[in-house]
Amino acid sequence: MAASFISDFRLMWYLDELKKNEFLQFKQLLKQETVQRGLQPIPWAQVKKAKRQDLASLMTQRYGEQPAWDLALCIFPKIHRKDLCDKASRESAENAYRAHIQEKFIRMWSRDSFTEIPGCFDQTLTREEHESLEEYFTPRVPRRPHTVVLRALQRVGKTRFLMKLMLAWSDGTLYRDKFSFIFYLCCRELKQLRVTSLAGLISRERPDDSVPLADIVAQPERILFIVDSLEELECTLTEPESELCRDWREERSGKMVLSSLLRRKILPESALLLAAMPMRPEALESKLDHPNMQELKCFQDSHVKQYFCCSFGDRGRAMAAFSWVQNNEHLFTMCHIPLLCWMVCTSLKQEMERGRDLAATCCRSTSVFLSFMFQAFTPKGATRPSQQGQGLLKALCSLAAEGMWTDTWVFGEEELRRNGIGDTDTPTLLDLRLFRKYSESGSSYSFIHACMQEFCAAMFYLLDSPQDHPSRAVMPLEVLLLTYFRKERASWVFLGCFLFGLLHESEQQRLDALLGMQRSRELAPQLLGCLRILAEIEDPEEQVEFLLFFYALFEVQSDAFASHLMSSLREAHFPLRERPDLAVAAYCLKYCCSLRELTVSVPEIFPEERGPDPIRHSRGAAGDGWIRIIQSHLCFCRTRKVSFSCETGIFFEVFTSNPNLQHLSMTSTQLSHDEVWFLCSVLSNPVCNLQELLMDGCQLNKYSCPHLSEVLLSNANLRHLDLSRNPLMDEGVAQLCEALRQPACRLQTLWMDGCQICEHFCPHLSEVLLSNANLRHLDLSRNPLMDEGVAQLCEALRQPACRLQTLW
């Protein structure tokens, strides 16, 4: 019963557990035990006066670490402290498990480490990462189980981050005193299991059974379950409770076992760390028990720059390439994902070494992938892939297409052979860094990155016909496009964009030259025809993800086609989630000459530019990008209605750019005082023709009302104003009523539902009813007007001067 490495500190800690009389007994028995074992005894005078720390040092120095520990374990039962032996046994098993985890994850890291640059980034957690992880499980609610949801954009390297966590725990630098066991559950592997149990999932990770599983789960508060890529299993957590497991030994489907764990039906005291895509946490948050929502940051700008310098070696060439990428929003965004940063560096470096113009060969994401692919398959000194290389490329793309349609990311030998990849081909694909070993046995493989599989799947449709594919799961091009643009498969992120990107004229020329083929040119009219059909369907919002549609057009970069396609679009609804979305929207919206309704939501994607002065910040880089998007659209089309949800005031400048803009909805958009002031100053401009302004639930207050009053007096076009669900209070309403009484106010409809108006200010409203000849509809729902206030309003309603037609 021994541990692999026990220092005298460990022995000292165990001796500290002994009471005074037990420690005296230990000393007596130590003298007897050394004699019985034929060991040279420590002089009794030293033993007798030694304190616990001193005795631990004496034993270790005289006998060595392991024999000293064996002596102690032999003595503990004799002084009726077998509990210390049991504790040592558990710790020994924990140490063995940690050693197993360390060995396993070092192998996993090494298997994927071809993108690593010595001295640049490694498997050690940074100080910031370590501090963040330590805070994840700081109690937020007393005696509540810990659940942390780590939001991670798709393919930003969350698995690598979790591997670093496991390695840090295994070497004792993270969560050493918090968790005795951490079990890593990969949902991509879980969904392959038809039937399992939590016991089975735990047993898969344990190197031995020196400690019974029952003893491990007996302390669930000392267990952390890490669930990677939760979206892979599509857990909705909505199963009836009667179907969930209550016993950790009960066998069900992998999804049901995981759902039971997440909903605290099994081992409810354990800790959970769930890594999921951003759209998943919104659905999860309400179903989990007090989750701690965190966000995984990818490469920072400084990391990208450092990576370029280390990758190129030559600083001058590195900075030239970095400057090129930094000015290309799409490529720069790609570089914030470590593996894709490596791929971009590899492509640019080789193109620069060959003296090629980066603007012609690597200006878009599709072109970078195409460069990487053909550099991999073109032998040194040759200008195009060999016949054998072309055959292997076709086989690789065939495998990728099957994987996309069957939702497969890890391929065994059977899938490889079915698509024409033989045993002798896999070492080649590994050497070309297009494949990586997925399992330690080497019998299963995956593409180096999910984006690479998507690109190869897009290539398949240009290289071969889906009717000839060995798998019946692979569907025709029309089905692929409809599936992609409807966002019916969450794992299809760039497939459609790559497909259309390959239709770009420069990529067509490279495909013709490198493969000597014309299929891509034959396919182009069919692809563009499918896109045209999608643009012309009724209720496009229900059928198409507009942003995906826009990205496809952006990749094609055909002004003539974009103009022809977008000219009939009458409404568009999309979110702007990342910086590249800005340029894409700007490119497409300028062709929407018939657009009548635009709905845009903008989350906090420019936090560093946000500040108290919206005018000053509108001149920043991000602000200029946002303004260019909307203005590029507003200057060329006749949109009448715009709805948006964002946290920036710089949007408002565009209202003076287009006299056609008549409707603006900002429902539930949180606006600061400065942003309200900026909006009102723009709306007061004589050039603004806005007729309907909806500001329901925008956190307006009494301090917003003076600015709104100015708009009512200076904007002769404003007819409909919604101020519902804003705490305007009586003071704010009094200021608005002052403006509403003026002849210059042309407002016809006013919604003030739930604005915290009481009966004391009904006289002000009554005066408005008598003096404003334009107001026809007034909503005062959910305000505590009381009988007295209503009576005052009714008195005004009876007067002939009152022109109101509808009162809520």
Side-chain angles (χ1 to χ4, degrees), residues 15 19 79 233 235 277 398 457 461 465 510 517 552 658 675 699:
L15 292 180
K19 298 175 183 177
I79 59 174
L233 269 183
C235 281
M277 289 170 56
S398 175
Y461 283 86
S465 171
R510 282 206 281 179
M517 53 174 283
N658 188 340
E675 287 169 335
Q699 288 298 303

Side-chain angles (χ1 to χ4, degrees), residues 18-253:
L18 301 178
K19 298 175 183 177
K20 184 177 181 179
N21 63 322
E22 292 173 339
F23 185 51
L24 294 175
Q25 292 178 35
F26 183 91
K27 290 180 176 181
Q28 292 289 345
L29 290 170
L30 176 63
K31 181 169 62 173
Q32 298 175 17
E33 194 66 32
T34 52
V35 172
Q36 291 176 7
R37 295 191 177 206
L39 299 174
Q40 184 181 1
I42 304 170
W44 175 247
Q46 292 182 339
V47 173
K48 186 176 180 180
K49 69 178 183 178
K51 297 180 180 179
R52 288 167 171 77
Q53 182 177 352
D54 300 329
L55 185 59
S57 297
L58 287 172
M59 291 175 64
T60 302
Q61 292 168 9
R62 178 62 62 97
Y63 306 118
E65 292 165 351
Q66 194 60 49
W69 180 249
D70 290 339
L71 270 172
L73 291 178
C74 180
I75 295 171
F76 287 151
K78 296 179 180 179
I79 59 174
H80 307 292
R81 291 303 304 268
K82 186 176 179 298
D83 61 305
L84 295 179
C85 294
D86 295 338
K87 179 181 177 182
S89 178
R90 285 195 303 272
E91 289 188 352
S92 178
E94 291 173 13
N95 289 334
Y97 178 70
R98 288 177 190 271
H100 164 73
I101 287 297
Q102 189 167 51
E103 182 182 349
K104 173 184 175 178
F105 279 86
I106 285 176
R107 284 198 305 270
M108 289 173 62
W109 188 278
S110 300
R111 200 167 63 226
D112 301 338
S113 64
F114 58 83
T115 64
E116 299 299 319
I117 299 174
C120 188
F121 301 99
D122 56 30
Q123 69 230 38
T124 306
L125 288 171
T126 65
R127 181 174 59 83
E128 294 81 5
E129 290 172 336
H130 193 281
E131 290 174 355
S132 296
L133 285 168
E134 286 288 2
E135 290 177 2
Y136 281 1
F137 292 98
T138 300
R140 300 169 70 239
V141 181
R143 290 190 294 275
R144 288 282 184 182
H146 298 308
T147 300
V148 176
V149 178
L150 184 61
R151 290 183 275 202
L153 291 174
Q154 201 161 19
R155 303 164 184 184
V156 300
K158 63 178 179 297
T159 298
R160 297 282 277 180
F161 178 74
L162 296 177
M163 288 167 65
K164 291 170 72 172
L165 186 161
M166 295 297 289
L167 286 168
W169 173 77
S170 69
D171 66 18
T173 58
L174 179 71
Y175 300 150
R176 176 86 193 185
D177 299 322
K178 191 179 293 288
F179 301 118
S180 300
F181 291 90
I182 298 182
F183 297 109
Y184 173 82
L185 308 178
C186 176
C187 289
R188 190 165 286 175
E189 296 176 0
L190 266 180
K191 70 179 181 181
Q192 308 296 328
L193 304 175
R194 291 188 176 181
V195 177
T196 187
S197 64
L198 188 60
L201 296 177
I202 293 175
S203 297
R204 285 159 56 94
E205 293 297 317
R206 297 175 66 218
D208 57 48
D209 56 356
S210 56
V211 175
L213 189 54
D215 290 354
I216 294 176
V217 300
Q219 292 184 303
E221 70 282 356
R222 299 282 299 168
I223 300 175
L224 168 63
F225 290 99
I226 294 179
V227 182
D228 189 7
S229 302
L230 185 60
E231 65 276 356
E232 290 283 344
L233 269 183
E234 298 180 354
C235 281
T236 60
L237 305 184
T238 56
E239 303 88 350
E241 289 212 7
S242 58
E243 296 181 11
L244 299 176
C245 311
R246 297 299 197 282
D247 192 320
W248 51 273
R249 292 159 294 198
E250 190 175 350
E251 293 195 340
R252 297 287 181 87
S253 67

